[in-house]
Amino acid sequence: NAGVTQTPKFQVLKTGQSMTLQCAQDMNHNSMYWYRQDPGMGLRLIYYSASEGTTDKGEVPNGYNVSRLNKREFSLRLESAAPSQTSVYFCASRIWGRHTLEGYTFGSGTRLTVV
Amino acid sequence: GESVGLHLPTLSVQEGDNSIINCAYSNSASDYFIWYKQESGKGPQFIIDIRSNMDKRQGQRVTVLLNKTVKHLSLQIAATQPGDSAVYFCAENSGGSNYKLTFGKGTLLTVNP
């Protein structure tokens, strides 16, 4: 039971390049989320998927697209990377029906640098 | 601007002392509040949460207090240990059943042996 797994852990891109960040969870969670974390700031929500087959924008969606491939996997795509997208990206997942958020689990992050 | 913020960006305490980390929030509709711990190079780790219909909740060595009148949240860590050194974030759920979290900027807690 690995929890939330993100790949890659580190990535350097040139401006204009594209890439996809992968996230998979093995906890049979329903909802999945993508956040970014910039220095001196808390995490900010990019996109989320409340359930398989649905996706919605969060606070900072511009420049990103997402795909909820199946219940386990939720990918984040940068079509044309910009230096402003240099950040640490965290994927999270959550199961429905819980009365607390203790089950809201984060991955270990992908550190992305755009030069 | 941020709807959740912290009063102190850094906090340094001696091992064995109690630590108090504070947080202000602005969304009166938020129904859940969570404290996360983040160690260097790792993702946020759940510590404790509290629902908006509660004033206090205790865990192992941690207590969260919620004052809805002044929109204030605090995390108390008893007998702070070196392993408690990390950045602590408060977060609020203002997304209803979608549980979209809004995070504060974080407080760096340093425990001196």
Side-chain angles (χ1 to χ4, degrees):
Chain A
N1 189 339
V4 178
T5 302
Q6 292 184 235
T7 56
K9 294 189 182 303
F10 302 92
Q11 183 71 48
V12 179
L13 290 178
K14 293 182 179 179
T15 297
Q17 286 185 316
S18 62
M19 80 159 295
T20 300
L21 282 65
Q22 305 289 349
C23 175
Q25 51 88 13
D26 60 1
M27 299 173 287
N28 200 34
H29 283 182
N30 308 94
S31 301
M32 298 185 74
Y33 308 80
W34 275 105
Y35 289 86
R36 62 178 287 175
Q37 184 177 31
D38 300 306
M41 298 185 70
L43 282 70
R44 292 183 293 169
L45 182 65
I46 304 171
Y47 269 95
Y48 70 102
S49 171
S51 62
E52 185 179 356
T54 68
T55 61
D56 286 285
K57 296 179 180 179
E59 180 185 354
V60 288
N62 291 343
Y64 305 94
N65 284 302
V66 290
S67 295
R68 183 74 183 269
L69 304 172
N70 46 56
K71 190 173 185 179
R72 290 186 64 250
E73 300 172 285
F74 188 39
S75 63
L76 178 71
R77 182 160 179 84
L78 286 71
E79 291 291 350
S80 179
S84 61
Q85 294 178 304
T86 293
S87 189
V88 181
Y89 291 84
F90 288 99
C91 178
S93 69
R94 187 185 70 84
I95 196 167
W96 289 355
R98 296 184 70 94
H99 295 296
T100 74
L101 288 170
E102 188 168 352
Y104 205 118
T105 305
F106 284 85
S108 57
T110 294
R111 186 174 296 274
L112 176 67
T113 302
V114 183
V115 298
Chain B
E2 297 277 341
S3 68
V4 178
L6 296 170
H7 298 305
L8 296 175
T10 62
L11 179 64
S12 183
V13 301
Q14 292 297 124
E15 182 177 359
D17 287 350
N18 296 331
S19 303
I20 299 176
I21 302 172
N22 296 302
C23 177
Y25 67 95
S26 60
N27 191 339
S28 58
S30 293
D31 58 356
Y32 268 113
F33 303 87
I34 312 98
W35 281 100
Y36 282 98
K37 172 185 181 182
Q38 186 176 28
E39 297 173 289
S40 181
K42 297 183 179 180
Q45 178 185 358
F46 175 93
I47 301 173
I48 192 169
D49 66 353
I50 187 168
R51 301 177 70 176
S52 58
N53 61 354
M54 302 170 68
D55 298 321
K56 179 180 180 180
R57 190 162 187 231
Q58 289 185 294
Q60 186 177 8
R61 284 201 306 118
V62 294
T63 300
V64 55
L65 299 178
L66 175 62
N67 185 331
K68 294 180 287 294
T69 302
V70 295
K71 296 179 183 172
H72 184 266
L73 194 68
S74 69
L75 176 69
Q76 300 178 1
I77 305 174
T80 314
Q81 303 168 359
D84 294 327
S85 294
V87 176
Y88 289 81
F89 292 95
C90 63
E92 62 180 309
N93 173 40
S94 54
S97 60
N98 287 321
Y99 290 97
K100 297 181 291 182
L101 299 181
T102 300
F103 282 78
K105 291 184 173 62
T107 292
L108 174 62
L109 175 65
T110 301
V111 182
N112 302 309

